[in-house]
Amino acid sequence: MLIREATPEDWPTIWPFFHEIVAAGETLTYPTGLAVDDAKDWWYQTPPNRTVVAVNEHSTILGTAKMNRNHMGNGAHVASATYLVDPAHSGQGVGRALVEYSVEWARAAGYRLMQFNAVVETNIHAIALYQSIGFRIGGTLPEGFHHPTQGYVGLHMMYRPL
Amino acid sequence: MLIREATPEDWPTIWPFFHEIVAAGETLTYPTGLAVDDAKDWWYQTPPNRTVVAVNEHSTILGTAKMNRNHMGNGAHVASATYLVDPAHSGQGVGRALVEYSVEWARAAGYRLMQFNAVVETNIHAIALYQSIGFRIGGTLPEGFHHPTQGYVGLHMMYRPL
């Protein structure tokens, strides 16, 4: 697996699984009805923030991540990231590779912390993955997320020092 | 004290204390070097979000607040707000009036929760005020804020149901 910068030409391949995951509305606090061009603007970051894709040996895109500053001013040492794995390629370690890559990026870029602002508490596979990579639950907003089938559930804030 | 919509004409009065508070860098995760026009764009919200001012019986501006949606999609029922009180008018209940106003706004606008993403843990007067109005500390990002004199301190996430 290789992780490389996302290019505009990757978007038609990212969009179907981006849309599938976002429209499902189970894991992200994103507008569920984002149109294709708005979604691209949303996902593609401007430097020094980054958007990357994970590809396999056939150059198939398996997943994507965006990595960005999370606070400004005197919180500018805190980074964040978001990850999307194509469900067609789940269970292959793509998420883990993207999370680990983003941690390395944040460390190399001089950040002191990574923080996830809104991890849906029913997204237990993601939470377990983050915890296995050193992230902790720093707090929870009870009923912060309206899950389409489970009703109001909490949003965790998670973080790890770098 | 009256709380009303902020107008463009209010900005020259808001800007000096906005700048004083933001440049001090002790309480907000804002870029500390915001220029006057960028700061106005930053502070003034577009509907349905709002920016208001608190004024006294002489129409003197005492403080200001912005109130906004805090998450999108299935987190769209969570509001947030930020408050700035002119230090020349501190100790007169301006902060309390603005917080209470924003809670009423959020409730009336149909939000279920209010959340503050980044309350600097050394900002003890603000934290005590928020707690007296029903907000709780939902978690803390250790070392999330680089205080200019106290070094790395935590950022609290605070919230209250509406």
Side-chain angles (χ1 to χ4, degrees):
Chain A
M1 197 184 313
L2 169 75
I3 294 178
R4 63 162 173 79
E5 228 55 37
T7 68
E9 293 72 30
D10 294 328
W11 182 246
T13 307
I14 297 171
W15 164 249
F17 68 87
F18 179 102
H19 180 254
E20 178 180 347
I21 294 166
V22 171
E26 296 182 348
T27 54
L28 294 172
T29 54
Y30 280 21
T32 52
L34 276 174
V36 57
D37 291 338
D38 292 338
K40 178 168 182 262
D41 291 343
W42 184 285
W43 192 248
Y44 278 58
Q45 301 290 298
T46 51
N49 297 331
R50 294 179 63 202
T51 301
V52 298
V53 288
V55 299
N56 68 9
E57 69 275 22
H58 306 296
S59 300
T60 301
I61 292 175
L62 310 172
T64 178
K66 73 177 177 70
M67 302 173 277
N68 52 279
R69 173 159 283 142
N70 199 39
H71 295 290
M72 287 180 273
N74 289 338
H77 56 287
V78 184
S80 192
T82 309
Y83 317 98
L84 295 171
V85 175
D86 184 345
H89 300 286
S90 67
Q92 299 172 29
V94 180
R96 176 174 298 276
L98 288 168
V99 178
E100 290 176 343
Y101 185 93
S102 69
V103 169
E104 289 308 313
W105 164 79
R107 187 182 285 126
Y111 289 101
R112 288 174 60 98
L113 290 163
M114 281 194 75
Q115 181 184 27
F116 304 141
N117 303 313
V119 181
V120 179
E121 70 178 348
T122 49
N123 193 5
I124 55 174
H125 294 296
I127 293 166
L129 172 63
Y130 301 153
Q131 288 176 322
S132 77
I133 298 172
F135 286 84
R136 305 161 201 171
I137 295 172
T140 305
L141 177 66
E143 303 197 351
F145 189 80
H146 193 199
H147 190 285
T149 60
Q150 305 197 50
Y152 288 99
V153 300
L155 284 175
H156 293 318
M157 182 275 280
M158 298 188 71
Y159 73 94
R160 68 157 282 177
L162 297 174
Chain B
M1 195 182 317
L2 170 74
I3 295 179
R4 61 161 174 79
E5 226 57 36
T7 68
E9 292 71 30
D10 294 327
W11 183 244
T13 307
I14 297 171
W15 164 248
F17 67 86
F18 179 102
H19 180 255
E20 178 180 347
I21 294 166
V22 171
E26 297 182 347
T27 55
L28 294 171
T29 55
Y30 280 22
T32 51
L34 276 174
V36 56
D37 291 337
D38 292 337
K40 179 168 181 257
D41 292 342
W42 185 283
W43 191 249
Y44 277 59
Q45 302 290 298
T46 51
N49 297 331
R50 294 180 62 202
T51 301
V52 298
V53 289
V55 300
N56 67 10
E57 69 276 22
H58 306 297
S59 299
T60 301
I61 292 175
L62 310 172
T64 177
K66 72 177 178 71
M67 302 174 276
N68 52 278
R69 173 159 282 141
N70 200 38
H71 295 290
M72 287 180 274
N74 289 337
H77 57 287
V78 185
S80 192
T82 308
Y83 317 97
L84 295 172
V85 175
D86 184 344
H89 300 286
S90 67
Q92 299 173 27
V94 181
R96 175 173 298 276
L98 289 168
V99 178
E100 289 176 344
Y101 185 94
S102 68
V103 169
E104 288 308 313
W105 164 79
R107 187 182 286 127
Y111 289 101
R112 287 173 62 96
L113 289 164
M114 283 194 74
Q115 181 184 26
F116 304 142
N117 303 311
V119 181
V120 179
E121 70 178 347
T122 50
N123 193 4
I124 55 174
H125 295 296
I127 293 167
L129 172 63
Y130 301 154
Q131 288 175 323
S132 78
I133 298 172
F135 286 84
R136 307 159 200 173
I137 295 172
T140 305
L141 178 66
E143 302 198 352
F145 190 79
H146 193 200
H147 191 284
T149 60
Q150 305 197 49
Y152 288 99
V153 300
L155 283 176
H156 293 318
M157 182 275 279
M158 298 187 72
Y159 73 95
R160 68 158 280 177
L162 296 174

